[in-house]
Amino acid sequence: MTKVAWSVTHQEFIISDHYYFSKLQKYAKQNDIVVDEVDQFERFSEYDVIIFNYPEIPFKKEEVDFIEELVKNGKKVGIFAYYKNEDRIADTCNTMSERFGIKFNWDIITDDVNNYDNDNLLITTTKVSEKMKEKGIGKVVLACTDSLTITGNDVMPMIYAEDTAVSKLGKEKILFARYMDPSGGCFIAGGSCVFWDNYSIDLFNNKEFSLALLTHKK
């Protein structure tokens, strides 16, 4: 059993919102993943995985220190944003992610060729890491995503956009990236926070991808 802390400490999207995340909750339960909404930062140490899905309040230095210590102790942490720096989301996520060598950009990724339902903001891609392919994840759809810049060591891309995609700021089209700690802990950043909502989760391999993010296997 994996225990997941879904943060509500920084005004994130709540997983208990039935309209948006009831399928994610159902699939987690079916796969022996316990997801709790957690509103106290210090309680994150009780969990295997910590999720920040669209946090709207910037992180304080002492909070980032705490998360860094959890990663060094083998925990898995994920933080997920949105395009265009909506609600200053890129800036807010950067208050944590830059500690791990990952920067959220303020851009918009579009793809007129590889997309879902002829919508160039619902981009699809098969350019995923080998580790993801080993888990049966070959293609995902990422709605309204920005890109990431890798600035530190021990960080590897997890997902790239296809060659047909365009960054409005001309950035490298890294959409998800992962910092790996020697302890086995990791920090994952993603440019989209709605890849696992009720609209997207049953498309392509989004379900498998979502469950992999919620599972911590050292």
Side-chain angles (χ1 to χ4, degrees), residues 150-170:
I150 293 174
T151 62
N153 300 320
D154 301 313
V155 181
M156 294 294 293
M158 294 175 66
I159 303 176
Y160 282 98
E162 298 284 359
D163 294 341
T164 49
V166 175
S167 161
K168 295 299 183 184
L169 295 179

Side-chain angles (χ1 to χ4, degrees), residues 18-207:
H18 185 84
Y19 184 80
Y20 288 105
F21 294 114
S22 59
K23 289 182 179 180
L24 178 61
Q25 287 184 295
K26 178 179 70 174
Y27 296 147
K29 186 176 181 179
Q30 289 173 348
N31 285 271
D32 205 23
I33 300 169
V34 176
V35 184
D36 295 330
E37 289 180 350
V38 178
D39 62 2
Q40 296 174 304
F41 217 83
E42 61 273 14
R43 287 192 55 213
F44 292 149
S45 59
E46 303 170 16
Y47 292 84
D48 307 302
V49 180
I50 300 98
I51 298 295
F52 300 96
N53 203 52
Y54 201 94
E56 294 191 56
I57 299 172
F59 295 92
K60 301 174 183 177
K61 179 184 181 299
E62 55 268 29
E63 292 175 328
V64 182
D65 291 343
F66 184 71
I67 293 298
E68 183 178 27
E69 193 63 27
L70 292 183
V71 171
K72 288 180 178 178
N73 287 327
K75 305 291 187 179
K76 180 179 189 177
V77 178
I79 190 167
F80 308 108
Y82 208 54
Y83 71 160
K84 295 196 300 186
N85 204 22
E86 290 276 352
D87 297 325
R88 300 190 67 84
I89 187 64
D91 294 335
T92 298
C93 288
N94 283 336
T95 61
M96 179 180 289
S97 67
E98 288 188 333
R99 177 72 64 90
F100 297 92
I102 304 170
K103 181 179 180 181
F104 287 84
N105 299 316
W106 299 356
D107 62 350
I108 306 169
I109 305 294
T110 59
D111 196 323
D112 292 333
V113 178
N114 292 285
N115 63 58
Y116 178 71
D117 201 27
N118 201 32
D119 185 333
N120 69 0
L121 285 171
L122 306 182
I123 71 167
T124 61
T125 182
T126 59
K127 298 183 73 171
V128 302
S129 69
E130 288 301 318
K131 191 169 184 179
M132 288 177 61
K133 290 178 182 177
E134 291 170 4
K135 295 179 179 180
I137 303 163
K139 184 176 183 179
V140 293
V141 56
L142 301 174
C144 301
T145 185
D146 77 350
S147 67
L148 308 171
T149 297
I150 293 174
T151 62
N153 300 320
D154 301 313
V155 181
M156 294 294 293
M158 294 175 66
I159 303 176
Y160 282 98
E162 298 284 359
D163 294 341
T164 49
V166 175
S167 161
K168 295 299 183 184
L169 295 179
K171 300 288 188 179
E172 186 177 7
K173 294 169 290 187
I174 301 170
L175 308 182
F176 275 69
R178 176 174 55 199
Y179 163 81
M180 286 298 302
D181 191 81
S183 68
C186 66
F187 180 89
I188 295 173
S192 173
C193 61
V194 290
F195 60 93
W196 48 12
D197 67 3
N198 285 350
Y199 182 82
S200 296
I201 196 167
D202 288 328
L203 301 176
F204 307 107
N205 296 129
N206 279 40
K207 175 183 174 182

